[in-house]
Amino acid sequence: MMKKITFFLGFLCFIALFSACSKEEKSISKRNILVPPPKDDEPDTIIHKLDEFNVLDTVPWVGSTYKVSCQRYTNDSLAYVKMDNGKMFRDNLIKVTITRSDNSVFFEKVFRKSIFDKFFNQEYARQNVLLGMVLEKEKTDKNNLYFLGTVGNPIELMDEFMLFEIVVSKMGDVSINKMELDENKPEEDEK
């Protein structure tokens, strides 16, 4: 009888020990084995970056069809911004290429956040990145191609940003207007 009780107690201890270990193993993810999760009191030291993209479009303009490419990318040589919550994000570049129907390049320019500096203060620049740029196809007229560009918070993409209208003339000149979100009318002009 004593052997049965000892065996039974040993069996119960083995099951308890096994279940405790298996619960612990289940709570550890594969990612946590390779990279331990940051503790709440530790700052996030990773420099994050937004996804790269390339928006391609065609537009009839000045008697021909033009191809327009707006490519967002980043590299490690660019500065980073530090958010209020401590997260850091690498800034972006936007390369706009406008190609004629014979594939010759009409316009090519790399836009940096600094081109919009006159529209915001240094504090805004330190906490925001160049988010993107797209062609405003429906607004195109016989003299100009219109683009919308945004500089803003990389975390709160839809809540905190400034909107700009970038105009490329048929001569290749660029002007920038800050847009009011309520009215979608230019506020200032830079030539």
Side-chain angles (χ1 to χ4, degrees):
M1 177 81 170
M2 189 64 164
K3 276 186 175 183
K4 285 184 180 181
I5 292 175
T6 306
F7 176 77
F8 183 71
L9 286 175
F11 182 73
L12 285 178
C13 288
F14 175 76
I15 289 177
L17 183 63
F18 180 77
S19 66
C21 289
S22 67
K23 284 181 186 171
E24 177 126 9
E25 286 176 20
K26 288 179 185 174
S27 69
I28 298 174
S29 71
K30 289 180 184 176
R31 184 187 186 293
N32 293 347
I33 292 170
L34 299 175
V35 179
K39 296 178 184 172
D40 289 340
D41 59 342
E42 287 183 14
D44 182 359
T45 57
I46 297 170
I47 298 177
H48 302 275
K49 64 180 185 175
L50 297 175
D51 292 336
E52 296 182 355
F53 68 75
N54 190 11
V55 178
L56 302 170
D57 210 341
T58 58
V59 61
W61 190 49
V62 291
S64 186
T65 300
Y66 285 74
K67 295 177 200 166
V68 178
S69 166
C70 295
Q71 178 185 12
R72 177 175 73 192
Y73 62 97
T74 189
N75 64 45
D76 291 341
S77 69
L78 293 171
Y80 62 87
V81 299
K82 189 168 186 178
M83 310 306 297
D84 288 336
N85 65 4
K87 282 192 174 187
M88 295 176 284
F89 280 84
R90 185 77 56 202
D91 209 345
N92 301 298
L93 300 170
I94 308 289
K95 180 179 181 181
V96 175
T97 307
I98 304 170
T99 310
R100 297 179 186 94
S101 58
D102 65 358
N103 287 330
S104 63
V105 174
F106 160 69
F107 177 87
E108 185 171 75
K109 182 171 178 66
V110 175
F111 290 87
R112 297 174 172 270
K113 178 176 63 180
S114 60
I115 199 166
F116 304 102
D117 276 353
K118 75 177 248 174
F119 297 103
F120 44 75
N121 61 34
Q122 284 186 346
E123 183 64 25
Y124 189 86
R126 276 196 298 270
Q127 293 188 355
N128 293 279
V129 300
L130 180 55
L131 294 172
M133 204 163 157
V134 294
L135 175 66
E136 270 191 291
K137 196 173 184 176
E138 65 282 345
K139 195 168 180 180
T140 296
D141 61 35
K142 65 181 182 176
N143 295 315
N144 302 301
L145 289 175
Y146 295 84
F147 296 83
L148 288 177
T150 54
V151 174
N153 184 318
I155 297 173
E156 304 290 335
L157 294 175
M158 298 306 292
D159 295 335
E160 298 178 27
F161 64 91
M162 286 187 184
L163 184 65
F164 298 94
E165 181 179 68
I166 299 95
V167 183
V168 178
S169 76
K170 66 181 179 183
M171 301 304 289
D173 298 324
V174 176
S175 62
I176 299 172
N177 304 303
K178 182 178 176 195
M179 303 293 289
E180 285 301 316
L181 296 176
D182 298 326
E183 304 169 18
N184 282 337
K185 292 184 181 176
E187 183 180 276
E188 287 188 47
D189 186 39
E190 174 193 308
K191 295 207 179 194

